[in-house]
Structures are given as C-alpha cells and as structure tokens.
Amino acid sequence: MSIGGKGSNSSEDTELMQICGSRIAPEVAQRSLRRLLLGPVSWKKLDLKMASRVLWGSLSLLRLLWCLLPQTGYVHPDEFFQSPEVMAEDILGIEAARPWEFQPGSSCRTVVFPLLTSGSAFWLLRLWEELGPWPIPVSGYVLLVAPRLLLTALSFALDVAVYHLAPLWRAERWNALVLLSGSYVTLVFYTRTFSNAIEGLLFAWLLVLVSSRVAWSPTPKKPAPWWQRWLLGSILAAGFFNRPTFLAFALTPIFLWGICGATDPAFKSLTKEALGLLPGSTLTASVFVAVDSWYFSTPSRSRALVLTPANFLHYNLDPQNLVRHGTHWRLTHLAVNGFLLFGMLHAQALQAGWQQLQACLQAFVQTGFRRVPDAQSLLSSPRSRLLLLYFLPLALLSAFSHQEARFLIPLLVPLVLLCSPQTRPVPYKGTLVLFNALGALFFGCLHQGGLVPGLEHLERVVHAPVLPSVPTHYTLLFTHTYMPPRHLLHISGLGSPVEVVDLGGTEDWVLCQALNNFTRQPACQVAGGQWLCRLFVVTPGTTRPAMEKCSFPLKSETLVFPHLTLEDPPALSSLLSGAWRDHLSLHILELGEKPDNMTENPPP
C-alpha cells in the first residue's frame, strides 16, 4: 500500500508537472522569442554606440593631426595679433607688429590669457633651447604650431564638458560628442589662438557647474557648496576680462542657477544667491588687474591701475569706432552667421524655437491672457532651457552693429546638446557631413590660405642670403592680403635688415609709387660699400596684373596654392579658364631695379 500510494502520488506529481509544464512552456517560449527578437536590436544599439565612439576618436585624432600639419587657412588677423604676435616679441625677442590694443596708452585686452596660452608655449620653447637635452630649431612652423597645439589640447575640455552635460540635459552623449568633434567650428576655430575660443571654453565649464541644478526640475535645490560659488564667480570674472561680451553668454545660466537655488522667487533670495559669487569674482578680478597693471606699466604711470574691460567698453561703445571695423545688419547673427557656423544645427534650433514660441502663445490663449505664466512654468523642460541658452546670447550680441561669425562660437555646446536628444537619431547626417567638410576646407585651407606658407617661404629666403659675405636688405611688401604676422619670419628684433610693409587693399598707383620709393632705399647706401637690396611683392593672383603697370623687371615668381581672398575674389570666367590655378594662388614676386629711362609716374 505504501509503495502503491507513493506510486499514485508520483503519477499525480508527474501529471501536475505536465499540466504546469504545458502552462509554463508557452511563457518560456514567448520570453525566448522576445529575447531572440530583441537581441539584434540591442546589438544594433551597441554597434551604433561603438561606431559613435570610434567616429569621435577618429575626429579627435584628425583635430590633433590637422593642427600639426598645419592648417594653412587664415581666418582673421585677431588669431595672431591678439596673442602669439605680442608674446613672441615679449618672450622670444622676435620682431613683431604690436597692435594698438596692447599699447600702454590704449590697453583694451587683458594680457593674462595670451600669457597663459601663447606665452606658455613660447616660454617652454625658450626653456628647451636653454636647458633641453637636444636642440629644437625654432622656425616659423614651430612658432605657428606651438600655440595652436596648446589650444588644441585645451579644446578637448569641450569634449569633457559635453560628456558630463549630455545626461543632465537628456541628450544622447555620443551623438553630442560626434556633433561637437565633427563641427568645423571645433576643427578650425577652437584650435587657434582666438579669444573667442577661450570664451567658449569658459562658457562650457560654466554650464557644467550650473547644470546639476538647472537642467532638471525647476523646484529649488539645496544650496550650492561654497567652492562652487567661488568657481562660478571666478569664471565670470575671467570671462569678463577675456571678452566683456562673456556676460551675454553667462547671463542665462547664472539667472537659471539663481532661481532654481533660491528658496523663494523673491528679490532678496536671488540677491543672496548673487552675493555668493562675489568672493571668487573679486579675487580673480584682482589678479587680472594686478597682472595687467604690471604689464602695461610705464615709467610715467608705474602705479596706475589698468582696467582693460573698461577700456574695451569705452572703445566699442563709440559708434564711430565700430564703423571703422564694419557695421552689419542687426539680424546678421540670426539670419547669416548662425547658418555660416552651424548649418543645419542652426536651422533645427530655429525650428525648435518656433515650436516653443507657438506652445507659449497657445498657453497664453488658453488662459485668456488673464494669468501670465511664470518663468519656471515656461522653462519647465530641459529643451526650453537649452533654447534660452542658445537664443538669448545671440539676441544680446545682435544689439551691437559689429557682428562677426566667430563671436557665436561659444554657442556650439548648447547647440549640440539641443540637437542630439535621446528620443530620436540626429537628422540630416549627410548634409551635416558635407557642410562641415566644406567649412573646414574653406576656412582651414582656402581662405587667405597662401599667406602662412608664403611667410614660411620668405623665412627661408631671408635666413639664407644669396651672398653671405655681402649685407642684404630685404623689403617685403604685402598688398591685398590680410596683415602678415611678422613673428612667423623668425627675425631678431635688434637691427633687423628686413622691412615688412603692409599696404592692405591699396590702389594700383599707390603700389607703384611705393615700389619707386623702396628701390631707392637709404639702407642700401651705407658707409663702407653697397648693400644687396632685394624687393619682394606678395599679392593674390586676382591682383597680379597690377604689377605690370608699374614696369618693374621681374627676377623670379613663386606661386603658393591655394589662396582665396574674398576681398578680391576671382571672376567665374577666370576659374573656367586654363589659368584658374594662377588666380587661386598667392604670388611672391622678386622685382629688380627699375631702369633709369623709365617714367617715375605710373600710368593711370
């Protein structure tokens, strides 16, 4: 009985297991099917993330290698004349053209950041020359690449900032990093010694400090630690001394940080938050004032305090001074420069801004304009706050009539966060790739692209005289080009036999008259014998025919390709002709002495 009973129970258990198995089997099968179906999707996501990481790494490597190559494009004279040109003279004793902003009587630029960037690079070169185990020949290439290499290294602070910011702003991290590293703004502008690049780095890390409080819910957070307030104040002061326009970028994040940290929206609470920034900003401003006062001191004004931001504002708030630099339509930033720098990303921001504006208007209509929504309700989502971080600085900068595209490069970080949401892939990928490739080619290679390689050629000429036993005087005359950075010639500043003349976009008769004067150079007539005088004219191919009017014999001609100047662009017919390469080159002409029987006055 007992055995039989056990057998009966076993059969019942087996039957129960079979019944349960018949119920469980479909569920297990369904789970397995789900895993089988979801597996490729998960692998696809993993592959896409891995592909994004590889793409970011490749673009980062391109950023570094293109800096070393180097880039030949010449974007704007401020790249050279607000940092390396000044520091090369101060630290290496190289002949340079000091701009008016760095003269003691008109000090409009702080010297702190030039000292920290170009100054540090040149100081290391000087230290290596004196103490290095093996010599590094300092040349124009080294003087060009050393400051750029330092800025390129600093540009990766943008990548670190976006890496930390993306999850806070609900952006897909690696998509945002690819958009950042693939933008030609990063490849070209952030790898050069622009004060705008420093402004962008400071703005990015200001966002890092405030985003933990600003990016999520609008409810008040716990008070920020003292060190964070000190850092925020320091960044505000440093950005203001670098470029006073930094306040246009900092206003929105600091305001949002204040209202999200205030215990109540009252003015007293916001004021308390603002006062917490004073210690750090005061200390940093004191350092900048002390360094600038020391640098710009003269025997007649050794104890005077120098406030470079005040001088900057005094100069730029004068409408007559802005006219000298060029005035623009008030909507140039919105309608032109945004597209020029960011392409389809700017278009996506405009579309998102228009949708947000429609939603706000609809909210007003639904309430019948009886109750105005407060700021926190209108800015409740990270997307709306990113739009404010992008468009409000753009609007504030548009209040000034002088509007250059590079003024907007700090907006790249909030823009890539806005255009890489976690909920959908980045659109217009092919268009973005083509746009950034063309932008990098134009600004990194073509635009005034022959001037830097041309200076490298002239450096070899002046450092390798034809007759070493005969003293030689060189006259280098530049016309219809950007200002040539003289420090790239690597000429000693003491008794240099090289004279660099920048005629700008002068007329043909002025050029011929200047050539007549330089061929009778007093330096070529010295006690003890004749000097060998060599005269070079550097001009784009589009203005090359003007030289024929001056009737000077041509000794040699060197072409540097490519070189495109928008001030004197080539005609379409010339680009379609067989001489298109000549029109897209920079011409370096060595001229002989004009015969005595030739007329002194050039033909009209």
Side-chain angles (χ1 to χ4, degrees), residues 34-150:
R34 288 173 188 168
R35 290 175 183 174
L36 184 64
L37 292 176
L38 291 177
V41 177
S42 300
W43 279 107
K44 185 177 181 180
K45 290 182 178 180
L46 183 62
D47 290 343
L48 288 176
K49 183 175 291 188
M50 182 59 66
S52 298
R53 294 183 180 186
V54 172
L55 183 56
W56 172 81
S58 302
L59 291 170
S60 300
L61 183 61
L62 172 64
R63 192 190 316 177
L64 178 62
L65 293 179
W66 204 16
C67 169
L68 297 173
L69 193 58
Q71 297 181 27
T72 58
Y74 186 164
V75 179
H76 192 278
D78 285 356
E79 172 192 353
F80 296 105
F81 290 91
Q82 289 184 3
S83 186
E85 183 84 355
V86 179
M87 292 296 104
E89 181 183 31
D90 291 338
I91 296 176
L92 300 177
I94 295 175
E95 181 181 344
R98 183 175 294 269
W100 65 269
E101 296 102 322
F102 287 89
Q103 298 293 342
S106 56
S107 49
C108 291
R109 299 282 181 182
T110 181
V111 76
V112 173
F113 284 109
L115 283 172
L116 292 176
T117 53
S118 299
S120 298
F122 293 154
W123 182 80
L124 289 175
L125 286 177
R126 180 178 176 180
L127 190 65
W128 186 272
E129 280 187 312
E130 297 175 355
L131 305 175
W134 63 86
I136 295 181
V138 178
S139 62
Y141 168 81
V142 174
L143 295 174
L144 173 71
V145 170
R148 287 186 176 180
L149 188 60
L150 180 59

Side-chain angles (χ1 to χ4, degrees), residues 220-302:
K221 308 293 192 305
K222 62 181 181 180
W226 67 269
W227 59 266
Q228 187 180 54
R229 297 171 185 269
W230 278 61
L231 278 179
L232 283 174
S234 298
I235 290 178
L236 280 175
F240 180 69
F241 272 82
N242 176 60
R243 293 182 64 86
T245 54
F246 182 74
L247 295 183
F249 298 98
L251 176 63
T252 304
I254 291 297
F255 173 75
L256 293 175
W257 178 83
I259 63 173
C260 290
T263 55
D264 58 78
F267 178 78
K268 181 179 179 180
S269 183
L270 293 176
T271 303
K272 182 180 178 181
E273 291 289 329
L275 290 177
L277 307 177
L278 279 181
S281 59
T282 302
L283 179 61
T284 304
S286 301
V287 172
F288 275 80
V289 171
V291 174
D292 289 338
S293 300
W294 161 77
Y295 182 83
F296 292 108
S297 63
T298 60
S300 60
R301 42 181 295 181
S302 58

Side-chain angles (χ1 to χ4, degrees), residues 1-10:
M1 289 291 295
S2 61
I3 297 176
K6 290 180 181 179
S8 176
N9 292 338
S10 299

Side-chain angles (χ1 to χ4, degrees), residues 163-235:
Y163 183 88
H164 289 287
L165 287 170
L168 296 175
W169 291 97
R170 301 177 188 175
E172 209 293 316
R173 174 178 283 165
W174 290 102
N175 284 348
L177 284 170
V178 169
L179 287 180
L180 175 75
S181 58
S183 171
Y184 85 86
V185 173
T186 303
L187 292 171
V188 176
F189 287 87
Y190 275 105
T191 58
R192 305 193 183 206
T193 49
F194 283 112
S195 60
N196 310 93
I198 301 296
E199 187 176 40
L201 291 170
L202 293 174
F203 180 55
W205 279 92
L206 180 69
L207 292 178
V208 171
L209 289 175
V210 304
S211 290
S212 59
R213 176 189 287 186
V214 168
W216 290 93
S217 64
T219 57
K221 308 293 192 305
K222 62 181 181 180
W226 67 269
W227 59 266
Q228 187 180 54
R229 297 171 185 269
W230 278 61
L231 278 179
L232 283 174
S234 298
I235 290 178

